[in-house]
C-alpha cells in the first residue's frame, strides 16, 4: 500500500512562493511584492484578499499549477521552482483568461458606475 502524500496546509498569511508566514494576508502581500515583485491586479477592488491568496496557494501547492502560464507540475516544489526561476510570480489576469477565474474575489460595481 503506497503512502499518500500529505496535503500541504493552506494559509493565506503564507507567501505563495516560499515558506515565509506574515501576520496577515495584507502583510503577506506586502512581503511578496518586496521579495518577488508580486503584484495583485486591481487590488483596490479586491473584496476577499484572504480567499484570493488561499485560492492561489491551493492552485500552486495542491494543484501544482503555475499561476501565470498554467503549466502543471508533478509537485508543489516543482511549480514553486519554476515560478521563481521563470519569474512567473504573478497572476495572469486578462479577459478570456484568468479574469473570470479570479472574479469572485473582486467587486467592480463602483468602477462600473
Amino acid at each position: 500500500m503506497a503512502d499518500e502524500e500529505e496535503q500541504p496546509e493552506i494559509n493565506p498569511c503564507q507567501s505563495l512562493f516560499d515558506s515565509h508566514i506574515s501576520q496577515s494576508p495584507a502583510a503577506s502581500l506586502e512581503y511578496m511584492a518586496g521579495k518577488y515583485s508580486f503584484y495583485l491586479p486591481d487590488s483596490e477592488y479586491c473584496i476577499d484578499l484572504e480567499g484570493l491568496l488561499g485560492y492561489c496557494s491551493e492552485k500552486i501547492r495542491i494543484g501544482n499549477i503555475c499561476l501565470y502560464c498554467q503549466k502543471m507540475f508533478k509537485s508543489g516544489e516543482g511549480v514553486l521552482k519554476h515560478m521563481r526561476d521563470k519569474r512567473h510570480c504573478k497572476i495572469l489576469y486578462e479577459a478570456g483568461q484568468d479574469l473570470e477565474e479570479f472574479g469572485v474575489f473582486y467587486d467592480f460595481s463602483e468602477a462600473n458606475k
Side-chain angles (χ1 to χ4, degrees):
M1 186 163 83
D3 291 341
E4 285 190 36
E5 187 176 322
E6 186 176 318
Q7 290 294 334
E9 180 182 338
I10 301 302
N11 180 350
C13 294
Q14 182 179 354
S15 167
L16 296 173
F17 313 111
D18 62 28
S19 59
H20 178 83
I21 297 179
S22 299
Q23 292 294 320
S24 68
S28 181
L29 189 60
E30 189 175 315
Y31 167 81
M32 291 184 291
K35 184 157 185 183
Y36 298 101
S37 300
F38 181 72
Y39 169 74
L40 184 63
D42 293 325
S43 60
E44 66 273 23
Y45 300 108
C46 182
I47 57 169
D48 186 5
L49 179 60
E50 185 174 330
L52 176 60
L53 293 178
Y55 174 76
C56 289
S57 186
E58 286 179 7
K59 191 168 180 174
I60 294 168
R61 290 185 167 84
I62 295 174
N64 304 328
I65 298 170
C66 174
L67 292 178
Y68 186 70
C69 71
Q70 306 300 319
K71 184 175 180 182
M72 185 178 275
F73 292 81
K74 292 181 181 179
S75 70
E77 280 304 313
V79 71
L80 288 172
K81 181 176 180 345
H82 160 83
M83 291 177 77
R84 292 186 299 250
D85 291 351
K86 297 289 186 181
R87 299 184 189 257
H88 281 189
C89 296
K90 53 191 170 184
I91 295 174
L92 181 63
Y93 188 76
E94 299 174 5
Q97 301 272 338
D98 286 351
L99 185 58
E100 291 80 18
E101 178 180 0
F102 294 107
V104 68
F105 304 107
Y106 288 88
D107 180 4
F108 292 106
S109 58
E110 287 298 313
N112 294 332
K113 285 184 179 179

